[in-house]
Amino acid sequence: MLLAAGLGKRMRPLTATRPKPLIEVAGKSLLDHSLDRVRAAGVKKVVVNVHYLADALEAHVRRHAADLDVTISDERATLLETGGGVVHALPLLGDKPFFVINSDNLWVDGPVDTLRLLANRWEDESMDALLLVVALARATAHSGQGDFHMDATGHLRRREPRKVAPFVYTGVQLVSPRLFADAPEGPFSTNILWDRAIAKGRAFGVVHQGLWCDVGTPVALPLAEELLKGG
């Protein structure tokens, strides 16, 4: 699932006339960069959620992803946030583990294809969520203090208040439908479900082996282009 329904407030004024997933980096939209990574990993079925300027997103998907089995998850009526958006799309996603990818990040693969890295690390009997994380020191254009600590087995725990954590969530995860059991109704953040999985010892991380950029604001665009050029 590609998350593409956000309002793009941090990317203003560029999002005044286009949805954030259609902002271009190095001549290609953020959404197309994500679709390229999906194709490279051999994924054939994709769900894209839409809300803000949904017609433009749908038209773009029809033009640029005709080779994929793409379904639109329509959130025109209500923006459901990250967690609510996935719950809304669950009937389209099936009963097996699936990727969830934010469309406002860019990555360059390391020695191993990133999505295949997640798939190879997945252990269904012990995991509800497997998050791709990157070292804070290597998180291009990211201004936070880190999101997670991770132990030697890959178990995640949250950054403590007023402290720094060594790993940043990249916006890429592999999850089981179990993660969304008894989820709240309506709009909510996936953070709620991650915290529940962390408490059960079922949230894990894997460290990204390549390059990554948080493309959340206009100032990040030249940094993302430089990252892609170097990668």
Side-chain angles (χ1 to χ4, degrees):
M1 181 170 185
L2 299 182
L3 299 178
L7 298 175
K9 292 181 178 179
R10 293 191 303 142
M11 193 60 87
R12 290 175 178 171
L14 298 179
T15 49
T17 57
R18 70 176 68 181
K20 183 166 64 171
L22 298 189
I23 298 295
E24 291 191 352
V25 176
K28 182 181 294 187
S29 75
L30 289 167
L31 183 63
D32 287 334
H33 282 291
S34 294
L35 288 169
D36 284 349
R37 298 294 180 261
V38 164
R39 289 186 183 95
V43 176
K44 303 296 185 185
K45 181 177 180 180
V46 181
V47 175
V48 181
N49 67 341
V50 299
H51 172 76
Y52 177 61
L53 299 177
D55 290 347
L57 269 169
E58 283 203 57
H60 184 91
V61 168
R62 283 196 298 271
R63 290 195 305 270
H64 293 266
D67 58 318
L68 298 171
D69 178 7
V70 179
T71 305
I72 298 296
S73 181
D74 195 333
E75 296 180 27
R76 284 175 172 84
T78 304
L79 180 60
L80 295 170
E81 300 183 36
T82 54
V86 177
V87 168
H88 182 67
L90 281 177
L92 306 172
L93 291 164
D95 59 358
K96 304 296 184 183
F98 55 89
F99 296 105
V100 181
I101 302 173
N102 295 0
S103 59
D104 59 354
N105 72 89
L106 285 176
W107 76 86
V108 175
D109 288 331
V112 179
D113 178 278
T114 300
L115 298 183
R116 293 181 188 274
L117 177 69
L118 283 166
N120 291 336
R121 177 69 177 84
W122 181 260
E123 296 177 0
D124 197 63
E125 67 279 1
S126 61
M127 297 178 177
D128 288 340
L130 179 61
L131 280 58
L132 183 72
V133 297
V134 65
L136 176 60
R138 299 179 58 246
T140 303
H142 185 76
S143 59
Q145 296 178 299
D147 300 312
F148 296 104
H149 297 268
M150 185 168 60
D151 68 16
T153 65
H155 283 93
L156 295 176
R157 62 180 177 86
R158 290 283 190 179
R159 177 178 65 85
E160 298 175 9
R162 297 179 296 280
K163 293 187 178 180
V164 174
F167 295 108
V168 173
Y169 174 56
T170 63
V172 182
Q173 59 180 320
L174 180 56
V175 296
S176 167
R178 289 188 301 269
L179 183 69
F180 303 91
D182 301 317
E185 295 183 1
F188 72 93
S189 169
T190 311
N191 280 296
I192 294 173
L193 305 182
W194 288 343
D195 287 342
R196 188 170 67 180
I198 289 171
K200 295 178 179 178
R202 297 187 62 84
F204 289 76
V206 61
V207 179
H208 181 46
Q209 298 178 357
L211 306 175
W212 178 82
C213 185
D214 180 352
V215 194
T217 63
V219 298
L221 295 176
L223 298 175
E225 292 187 343
E226 190 65 28
L227 177 141
L228 289 176
K229 186 187 303 181

